[in-house]
Amino acid sequence: MATTVAGQAMLIETERLRLRPLRDDDADAAAMLELLNEPGFHRYIGDRGIRTLEQARGCIRDGPLVSYARHGYGMYVVERRSDGAWLGNAGLVHRAALPHADVGYALLERHTGQGYALEAARAVLGHARATLGLGALCAIVTPGNVRSVALLEKLGFQANGSVRLPGKDEDLLLFVNEPATG
């Protein structure tokens, strides 16, 4: 995995994928709009109420772009290296209610079941540790999201109870991944 960090030019590459910062442009906004309105996204992550291209651009500006500036990380676009296809996103989210940065990922439904989420999340973990110097990481999962739980377990996350985020009415499963010692 080759990683360079130079402001917005940060790039993570794996065998099949490229992770890069989201951009405030029509292409990323259109893809984000599609992702945010997938039935699986609504079911397992939540309906953000984003219905227009301009709202999607605002979501990118107010979320990932602010996070990059404030925390040095955020959610990244997951692209397939072979053709540049926009597959979804993966990255790190700072949540005040969690003790560590939160690893997150979501793919467009047509790209699930091909190992991309595992590959992207593994790349995010490597970036968090090797480039950002982060220690323990969290992940939160909606109860019943069996595929996501299995993915986190493959990455070495351990179940650590549940958590309710501020302003939400649902308990989420909490997972923690401690860095290897040795």
Side-chain angles (χ1 to χ4, degrees), residues 3 16 24 68-69 72 80 99 103 112 119 147 153 155 170:
T3 305
R16 301 182 300 161
D24 180 12
Y68 302 153
R80 191 168 40 221
V103 175
T112 62
E119 189 172 334
R147 291 173 70 182
E153 289 174 344
L155 292 171
E170 176 183 31

Side-chain angles (χ1 to χ4, degrees), residues 65-86:
L65 298 184
V66 167
S67 185
Y68 302 153
R70 196 173 286 164
H71 306 293
Y73 58 77
M75 293 301 287
Y76 309 117
V77 172
V78 177
E79 296 175 331
R80 191 168 40 221
R81 287 179 61 182
S82 63
D83 62 2
W86 204 102

